[in-house]
Amino acid sequence: MDSAAKDKIQPTLLPGSSCPGPEWPEQERAEQLARGAALKWASGIFYRPEQLARLSQYRSREVQRNCFLEARIKSVVQSYLEGVQTGVWQLARALEAVQGTREALSQAHHLLQELSQTSQTLAPLRERVVQHKQLQVLTQLLPRLQAVPAAVAHTQTLIDAQRFLEAYVSLRELEQLQEETWAPLGGLQLPIFQGLGLLAEALGQAVEAAAGAAGRLAREDPALLVAALRVAEVETERTILGQAPRDWRQRCLRALQEGLERIHFSSPGLPEPGALARWLEALQVALPAELATAEALVAPCCPPNYNVVQLWAHTLHSGLRRSVQQLLSRPELGAADAFALLHWALHVYMGEEMMGNLELGPEADVSQLEPLLTSENMEQLEAAFVAQVQVSVAQWLQKALDGEVAEWSKEQEPNTDPSGFYHSPMPAIVLQILAENIQVTSLISDSLHRRVHDMALSELAAFLRSFSDALIRFSRDHLRGAAPHYVPYLLAAFNHQSALSSSLSVLLPDGEASGVLAPIESALDDVQRRICRLVLEALQVELQLLLAEAERTVVLQYLRALLQGRLVCRGADERTQAAERLRHDAAQLKELFLGLGLEESAHCAPVLLALGELLNLHDPTLLGLEVAGLRQKFPDVSEDHVSALLDLRGDVSREHRQAALSSLQAGPPPSPTGRPALFSLVPTPTPSLSSCLPSGPCS
């Protein structure tokens, strides 16, 4: 900027003048505050008279100070004004530059509008250029495009003939031609290439089918398997026209897995109920053979990254596990199938005969995968097995009990052992049924062994309760007379219960305390006590028969002796003595047989008391009533017996005799008393009178 321009812009300042501009209210207020402060300072300084002498010094010093401040203020204001002057000059220059730029932009805008109009007029020409280029490309590729339909048909023929490498080369050529035409045509798809997608899918399906039959092709045509896998590997990473890769490698891996599962674990191939053991035996042979084939034949035909042996092992394990889950979902899984599956899964599958075979490499290890049977599966199988075995054991034990009970009603005594004791095969049958089921489950697991052991003890306790109930029914049959050999079969039952008690140790698991058998031993003791009680009751009944017969025989002999005329009373004193003797003898007989255990209701001695009352009757006119009462108590008494008894009195006249005998005939018929016959077994003697005893009076 030149000095002349600066002079035009800079304002003119009068000499000695202060900063121009209007006065501010704040300035006036500041001056007032300054004057006030100065007065306050002056009043403080000059308050004492001795300070007035120095007033001139203070005035000169303040004048100097004011001059210094004014100079400073002028310098600051001058600098400020120079900066403002420079800024105004720069703003003027910037305004000139903006105006020039605005004019240039306006000119450029007009030029752009003119170019746009020109471009619109060139659009048809541009389209013609594009069409010309496309026609030029099509003209150059026309011979190859004309051969596309034949090439597609030829490629399909190669696919059908399983010539995968040749088919893939032909497909690649067709897709390359499609790419060459796609970019020049601006992404336009020619109708002639519409069948390439189906052709590629057909080749992919053929490759996938070959991979699914890898085991068979590795044995019969390994070159075909190698060709299919090479095509899949090459195609996996290739992209076509910006599309995602086809990833035929994954399709082949899935086909390998599905082919294995289809061969060994297809749903129609699952075993029917009862055939699971045979199916597992077949897998026990087939799976190791499949792994050996994979290692020896399939793995050399596949890329190393396929890890064929590991893939085979994991696929077989997964398929087997899925098939097992399907089997477990069936409601009709029987006890034999559950046992076979538990034993095979726990002891065969991971054993040396199968997946634990030392000849298999570490790639075949499936121990780190999910187990073939989960804890829930184990619980389900064990519960199903125990429930069904429990039903079978209950049926077998009931059948053994029914057979034993049927023996009790036979007309022959039970069999005896070499020692002559009654015995039965039932204890051996029961123990064999229970011990075999307990022993066979020890081959599976401790939990199943414990469950079956507890079930066996529970069923044995139920069997003992049923046996005890059968004994009660047997005793009732005996009371009805339907048990001809009651006591021998009770003794046989006692013997085999004792044998069962002494053989319970076979049901005791190894390492278990004998206390687990305490409930069964207690139940056996109860059964044995019941048998002993029934035997004692039977013996007591037999003894009551014998005691009743003995007492009856004694009374009959007494009656025979009495009615044979060995006693004839000649007066009231002798009749009293005879009656007392009869009462005394009746009391002795009662005491004797009661002490032996004969029930009082079965006694026959009361007939002696009735005869004593007949002899001791003081009024002969009442003999008819006494004879009628005797007839009611002893219905089998006859007129001859009554006549013989009247002869014993020695004081019965013909009229009293006739009246007594008439009352015997005229009385009501006697009611059943249930007493055994007595008088009918005593013959009536020929009447003969004699004294009570030949040597003296009646006593």
Side-chain angles (χ1 to χ4, degrees):
M1 181 182 298
D2 53 1
S3 59
K6 277 188 177 183
D7 293 340
K8 291 180 181 179
I9 294 175
Q10 289 181 350
T12 306
L13 296 178
L14 296 177
S17 64
S18 61
C19 182
E23 294 192 3
W24 297 340
E26 290 80 1
Q27 181 180 0
E28 182 179 357
R29 186 166 178 264
E31 290 179 355
Q32 292 176 358
L33 291 175
R35 288 191 183 99
L39 289 174
K40 185 177 181 180
W41 175 80
S43 62
I45 291 296
F46 301 109
Y47 179 73
R48 288 178 295 177
E50 60 270 14
Q51 296 290 337
L52 294 175
R54 301 174 60 183
L55 179 60
S56 59
Q57 296 178 0
Y58 285 120
R59 180 181 296 122
S60 62
R61 188 167 55 190
E62 288 300 322
V63 170
Q64 293 176 359
R65 182 179 178 185
N66 289 335
C67 291
F68 175 74
L69 290 175
E70 287 180 359
R72 289 284 304 274
I73 291 172
K74 289 179 179 179
S75 176
V76 170
V77 171
Q78 184 67 29
S79 298
Y80 172 75
L81 291 177
E82 290 178 355
V84 170
Q85 183 180 5
T86 302
V88 171
W89 181 82
Q90 290 177 349
L91 287 175
R93 299 284 76 77
L95 178 60
E96 294 176 357
V98 167
Q99 290 176 350
T101 304
R102 184 175 180 181
E103 293 176 358
L105 288 175
S106 177
Q107 295 174 1
H109 178 67
H110 291 300
L111 291 175
L112 287 176
Q113 288 180 345
E114 294 176 357
L115 289 176
S116 176
Q117 294 175 357
T118 305
S119 176
Q120 291 178 359
T121 59
L122 294 177
L125 180 60
R126 203 164 31 245
E127 293 178 359
R128 292 300 179 89
V129 172
V130 171
Q131 293 176 359
H132 176 73
K133 291 182 179 179
Q134 292 177 351
L135 289 175
Q136 185 179 7
V137 171
L138 291 176
T139 303
Q140 295 174 354
L141 299 177
L142 184 60
R144 297 172 61 187
L145 292 176
Q146 291 176 344
V148 167
V152 170
H154 178 65
T155 304
Q156 184 63 53
T157 303
L158 294 175
I159 294 173
D160 296 337
Q162 294 185 334
R163 296 163 63 181
F164 296 139
L165 292 177
E166 298 177 39
Y168 182 66
V169 170
S170 179
L171 177 64
R172 286 286 299 270
E173 292 176 352
L174 290 172
E175 290 177 343
Q176 184 176 0
L177 178 60
Q178 183 184 17
E179 291 179 353
E180 292 177 2
T181 59
W182 181 79
L185 294 179
L188 179 64
Q189 181 70 37
L190 294 179
I192 199 172
F193 294 112
Q194 290 180 353
L196 289 187
L198 297 176
L199 188 65
E201 182 60 25
L203 179 58
Q205 292 178 358
V207 169
E208 186 176 353
R216 178 179 59 82
L217 292 179
R219 290 187 296 269
E220 300 175 359
D221 192 356
L224 179 60
L225 176 61
V226 171
L229 296 179
R230 286 183 62 187
V231 169
E233 285 297 306
V234 173
E235 187 63 18
T236 295
E237 303 297 335
R238 193 169 69 91
T239 59
I240 301 173
L241 299 179
Q243 300 177 0
R246 292 187 177 125
D247 200 4
W248 285 2
R249 178 192 298 161
Q250 293 299 323
R251 293 181 62 174
C252 287
L253 290 175
R254 285 195 299 269
L256 289 171
Q257 295 173 324
E258 292 171 359
L260 275 177
E261 294 181 359
R262 185 169 54 252
I263 293 172
H264 298 286
F265 308 114
S266 60
S267 296
L270 294 179
E272 295 297 327
L276 181 59
R278 294 192 298 272
W279 184 69
L280 294 175
E281 291 176 359
L283 289 179
Q284 186 175 347
V285 176
L287 298 188
E290 191 70 53
L291 288 174
T293 300
E295 185 175 8
L297 300 178
V298 180
C301 298
C302 299
N305 58 354
Y306 276 41
N307 297 322
V308 170
V309 178
Q310 183 180 23
L311 177 66
W312 246 242
H314 290 193
T315 302
L316 293 175
H317 179 81
S318 300
L320 179 59
R321 190 173 185 275
R322 186 162 47 253
S323 298
V324 168
Q325 298 301 320
Q326 293 177 4
L327 291 174
L328 292 178
S329 64
R330 294 180 177 179
E332 68 274 10
L333 192 64
D337 289 344
F339 180 85
L341 183 55
L342 282 170
H343 180 265
W344 194 85
L346 296 179
H347 301 285
V348 177
Y349 179 64
M350 296 301 297
E352 295 183 357
E353 298 179 359
M354 289 195 66
M355 308 307 288
N357 194 332
L358 298 178
E359 295 181 359
L360 297 175
E363 298 84 1
D365 183 20
V366 295
S367 60
Q368 302 302 321
L369 301 180
E370 290 183 291
L372 197 61
L373 293 177
T374 64
S375 57
E376 292 79 7
N377 298 149
M378 295 283 293
E379 175 68 22
Q380 177 185 352
L381 286 173
E382 290 184 3
F385 176 77
V386 172
Q388 296 185 38
V389 169
Q390 185 172 9
V391 173
S392 300
V393 168
Q395 293 175 351
W396 294 334
L397 294 180
Q398 185 62 42
K399 185 177 180 181
L401 179 59
D402 294 341
E404 181 70 14
V405 172
E407 294 286 331
W408 293 347
S409 60
K410 289 186 176 180
E411 295 294 333
Q412 60 184 12
E413 292 186 350
N415 298 326
T416 59
D417 59 12
S419 300
F421 296 103
Y422 295 121
H423 82 286
S424 169
M426 190 179 69
I429 296 174
V430 171
L431 288 176
Q432 182 180 3
I433 291 172
L434 299 179
E436 286 181 353
N437 283 281
I438 293 175
Q439 183 178 4
V440 75
T441 54
S442 64
L443 303 174
I444 303 299
S445 64
D446 294 338
S447 61
L448 182 61
H449 187 231
R450 169 56 59 189
R451 284 186 177 209
V452 174
H453 178 265
D454 295 342
M455 178 274 296
L457 296 184
S458 174
E459 288 302 315
L460 181 56
F463 170 78
L464 293 176
R465 290 193 294 270
S466 300
F467 188 81
S468 181
D469 296 339
L471 289 174
I472 295 175
R473 294 192 297 271
F474 187 38
S475 65
R476 294 172 182 170
D477 294 340
H478 168 65
L479 295 177
R480 294 195 300 267
H485 300 286
Y486 179 65
V487 174
Y489 278 105
L490 284 180
L491 295 177
F494 182 84
N495 291 336
H496 69 59
Q497 291 296 320
S498 299
L500 188 62
S501 179
S502 62
S503 303
L504 277 180
S505 59
V506 300
L507 303 180
L508 189 65
D510 296 336
E512 288 285 345
S514 59
V516 297
L517 300 177
I520 302 300
E521 293 173 348
S522 177
L524 282 172
D525 291 341
D526 292 341
V527 172
Q528 291 174 353
R529 282 194 295 269
R530 171 160 288 180
I531 294 174
C532 291
R533 185 167 60 251
L534 293 176
V535 171
L536 290 177
E537 290 175 356
L539 293 178
Q540 287 177 355
V541 171
E542 294 292 336
L543 182 61
Q544 292 287 327
L545 292 172
L546 293 175
L547 289 176
E549 188 65 24
E551 194 258 356
R552 184 166 172 257
T553 301
V554 171
V555 172
L556 286 174
Q557 293 298 328
Y558 199 105
L559 290 175
R560 286 192 184 97
L562 187 63
L563 296 178
Q564 289 299 324
R566 296 179 183 178
L567 175 64
V568 177
C569 299
R570 291 174 295 189
D573 293 338
E574 289 187 358
R575 287 193 295 275
T576 300
Q577 292 179 8
E580 185 63 31
R581 177 66 180 272
L582 288 173
R583 284 193 295 271
H584 180 267
D585 292 345
Q588 284 189 331
L589 287 175
K590 179 180 179 180
E591 181 181 0
L592 173 64
F593 284 98
L594 281 178
L596 293 175
L598 181 63
E599 296 179 358
E600 187 174 357
S601 60
H603 285 196
C604 296
V607 70
L608 301 181
L609 298 176
L611 295 180
E613 293 176 357
L614 182 63
L615 290 176
N616 199 29
L617 187 64
H618 296 288
D619 188 358
T621 59
L622 300 176
L623 287 174
L625 294 175
E626 192 68 29
V627 169
L630 181 65
R631 176 70 180 277
Q632 290 296 326
K633 294 179 181 179
F634 304 98
D636 62 336
V637 67
S638 64
E639 293 182 1
D640 293 337
H641 293 109
V642 173
S643 179
L645 292 173
L646 293 177
D647 290 341
L648 295 178
R649 286 179 59 88
D651 65 341
V652 181
S653 63
R654 183 179 297 275
E655 293 78 8
H656 291 158
R657 181 186 297 273
Q658 190 64 34
L661 294 177
S662 299
S663 66
L664 183 66
Q665 297 176 353
S671 59
T673 61
R675 293 179 180 273
L678 291 174
F679 288 99
S680 61
L681 300 178
V682 178
T684 56
T686 302
S688 62
L689 299 176
S690 62
S691 61
C692 282
L693 292 175
S695 59
C698 297
S699 59

